[in-house]
Amino acid sequence: MAYETIKYEVDEQILTITLNRPDKLNAFNGTMQQELIDAFDAADKDDNVRAIIVTGAGRGFCAGADLSSGADTFDRDARRGPVKRLANGKVDYSDPQVRDGGGTVTLRIFKCLKPVIAAVNGPAVGIGATMLLPMDIRIASENARIGFVFSQRGIVPEAASSWFLPRLVGIAQALEWCYTGRVFPAQEALAGRLVSKVVPPDDLLPTARALAKEIAAKTAPVSLALIRQMMWRMLGADDPMEAHKIDSRGIYARGRSDDVKEGVVSFLEKRPAVFKNKVSTDMPDYFPWWTEREYK
């Protein structure tokens, strides 16, 4: 697919999305926002995509928001025109113009039906760090540097990171990184459980691809789509009974599927399974089980 700020490449059932503004350290702008959302839409519709890797071109992953607009970078009224006002003159925060652009990307990644692996090749700062959070597995190069720098820019964390980050690393670690706003090395990200592995730069994409290939070769796509949403959405459940309800639906629906029959028989016959159910057509009838939230 032809994009201006990203590359979209599918090979061996693995989609690699590359942030592609290397001269700007892949700084995030409105075009990249829309193209990333479009890329994840396309990936969900393509049954040939079994796993997704996200990385950056050149020496950076993403340097954060494009600050070329200077002091008005984060001033929506100055850049887009005044947002709607209520009768009393206060801001109408339900106006879509108020929405944080980074959040529209991370929420789209959250809804994705394919496993998402981040291959963090260099600096990942601001939205470059927060867009990593809804990705499932984060692998970092030794050259990676990560920073939740919002307090040093006079702004607040965005991209729904106040939901994601404490769930990934714990509240104390999340607050330390966000309070200080400092940029920290890959080994600190590993110690803080933000990334699962740190590898030499030349090993980054091969490591990510090896994991993606293992997923693509051995697993049932519909099962992966369900597992991804089960795990993420249960982070917000208030009781394990909510998980039991969804587990039960999944075991019942998938238990009657051709995929499960193939999975069991292939195991007994000691051969690789050939799963034929597709995400595009064969998701169970109880999916989705949640009520989609609206911005208002």
Side-chain angles (χ1 to χ4, degrees), residues 254-285:
R254 293 298 286 156
R256 301 169 65 242
S257 71
D258 291 339
D259 270 1
V260 169
K261 295 171 185 176
E262 168 65 9
V264 172
V265 170
S266 65
F267 175 78
L268 295 175
E269 294 179 350
K270 296 182 172 57
R271 61 172 175 81
V274 180
F275 296 113
K276 295 183 179 179
N277 287 165
K278 298 178 179 180
V279 171
S280 63
T281 56
D282 300 313
M283 295 297 285
D285 60 4

Side-chain angles (χ1 to χ4, degrees), residues 32-48:
M32 184 179 287
Q33 171 193 337
Q34 295 303 320
E35 291 185 347
L36 282 170
I37 291 171
D38 185 81
F40 278 92
D41 286 346
D44 271 355
K45 294 173 184 175
D46 186 353
D47 290 315
N48 188 48

Side-chain angles (χ1 to χ4, degrees), residues 6-268:
I6 66 173
K7 293 181 181 177
Y8 184 106
E9 301 166 304
V10 180
D11 180 50
E12 297 180 299
Q13 297 187 301
I14 300 165
L15 163 62
T16 301
I17 298 173
T18 305
L19 309 182
N20 191 34
R21 302 182 73 207
D23 56 323
K24 303 284 188 181
L25 282 179
N26 305 317
F28 183 89
N29 61 13
T31 302
M32 184 179 287
Q33 171 193 337
Q34 295 303 320
E35 291 185 347
L36 282 170
I37 291 171
D38 185 81
F40 278 92
D41 286 346
D44 271 355
K45 294 173 184 175
D46 186 353
D47 290 315
N48 188 48
V49 172
R50 298 290 306 279
I52 302 169
I53 296 171
V54 182
T55 193
R59 65 184 184 86
F61 179 79
C62 174
D66 188 331
L67 302 180
S68 59
S69 297
D72 288 338
T73 295
F74 298 106
D75 187 336
R76 295 296 175 80
D77 287 348
R79 295 187 63 193
R80 301 180 182 176
V83 301
K84 293 179 182 177
R85 299 279 167 167
L86 301 172
N88 61 8
K90 293 184 177 180
V91 173
D92 180 357
Y93 285 104
S94 69
D95 182 354
Q97 287 288 89
V98 176
R99 291 190 67 176
D100 159 46
T104 65
V105 173
T106 57
L107 290 174
R108 181 60 190 86
I109 298 172
F110 175 74
K111 296 175 184 177
C112 185
L113 300 178
K114 312 294 173 75
V116 185
I117 301 167
V120 189
N121 56 302
V125 178
I127 180 59
T130 54
M131 79 164 68
L132 300 172
L133 305 182
M135 301 181 194
D136 304 313
I137 301 163
R138 288 160 296 280
I139 302 170
S141 160
E142 293 169 345
N143 292 339
R145 299 291 184 270
I146 299 171
F148 301 93
V149 297
F150 310 100
S151 62
Q152 294 191 12
R153 303 292 179 270
I155 201 165
V156 297
E158 36 64 272
S161 57
S162 59
W163 191 92
F164 287 108
L165 186 58
R167 285 168 168 77
L168 294 176
V169 304
I171 188 67
Q173 183 65 86
L175 286 173
E176 178 187 332
W177 283 338
C178 290
Y179 282 161
T180 64
R182 60 186 171 79
V183 178
F184 50 90
Q187 287 296 335
E188 183 172 337
L190 179 64
R193 298 182 299 171
L194 180 60
V195 302
S196 59
K197 191 175 295 185
V198 175
V199 299
D202 289 345
D203 293 344
L204 180 64
L205 281 177
T207 300
R209 285 194 65 84
L211 178 57
K213 284 182 179 180
E214 181 180 3
I215 293 169
K218 297 182 178 180
T219 60
V222 171
S223 291
L224 287 186
L226 292 169
I227 289 167
R228 187 176 199 276
Q229 292 302 314
M230 289 166 72
M231 292 289 183
W232 275 111
R233 292 183 185 278
M234 284 305 142
L235 289 177
D238 62 354
D239 191 280
M241 177 55 77
E242 298 308 309
H244 179 57
K245 292 176 187 176
I246 302 307
D247 296 351
S248 298
R249 287 160 172 76
I251 293 295
Y252 176 80
R254 293 298 286 156
R256 301 169 65 242
S257 71
D258 291 339
D259 270 1
V260 169
K261 295 171 185 176
E262 168 65 9
V264 172
V265 170
S266 65
F267 175 78
L268 295 175

